[in-house]
Amino acid sequence: MIFNFTNIESKVMKFEAIVRTELGKGASRRLRRAGRFPAIVYGNQAVPISIALIHNEVMNQIDKPSFYEGRITLMISSEEIKVKLQDIQRHAFRLQIEHIDFVRI
């Protein structure tokens, strides 16, 4: 059996994220009006991190199957964290992401 490791590397996506200091419904609404959306990174026995991602960057990649199947690298304050998509919440009728949950690998 021959494994093709080049396909694994091509499925890695990178997004830059910022750590959120303000939490709650009002802060999330302000983020969305500013072109970002809230997300969270948890798992692997580490402290959960609340982050914000740029909406248009993620929307450009969301239609690709590798977004759901592959690894995603998040750049959070110059630190690379490898994650997989756990859950995504979309707006009921707009083409808008409300929230994403990531789990560490």
Side-chain angles (χ1 to χ4, degrees):
M1 181 183 286
I2 298 174
F3 295 102
N4 188 356
F5 292 108
T6 56
N7 286 341
I8 293 172
E9 290 301 318
S10 65
K11 291 185 179 183
V12 176
M13 294 186 178
K14 273 192 178 182
F15 297 110
E16 289 190 30
I18 58 171
V19 177
R20 293 176 55 205
T21 54
E22 294 182 350
L23 303 175
K25 186 184 345 181
S28 296
R29 287 181 179 176
R30 285 189 292 275
L31 269 178
R32 291 185 191 106
R33 271 189 250 123
R36 296 181 176 271
F37 66 91
I40 190 161
V41 179
Y42 57 86
N44 205 10
Q45 298 178 349
V47 178
I49 303 171
S50 294
I51 60 172
L53 295 166
I54 298 172
H55 187 266
N56 289 340
E57 286 182 6
V58 177
M59 283 301 289
N60 289 338
Q61 302 296 322
I62 204 165
D63 292 333
K64 297 179 181 174
S66 59
F67 183 79
Y68 301 95
E69 299 166 359
R71 295 184 319 213
I72 299 171
T73 302
L74 297 175
M75 293 293 297
I76 304 173
S77 16
S78 72
E79 180 185 353
E80 285 191 1
I81 298 176
K82 297 194 183 314
V83 297
K84 286 188 82 163
L85 180 71
Q86 181 69 26
D87 186 35
I88 185 166
Q89 296 173 6
R90 300 172 193 242
H91 193 273
F93 56 88
R94 293 184 191 146
L95 291 174
Q96 184 176 353
I97 299 170
E98 294 287 317
H99 187 271
I100 290 184
D101 291 352
F102 293 106
V103 63
R104 289 183 184 94
I105 302 176

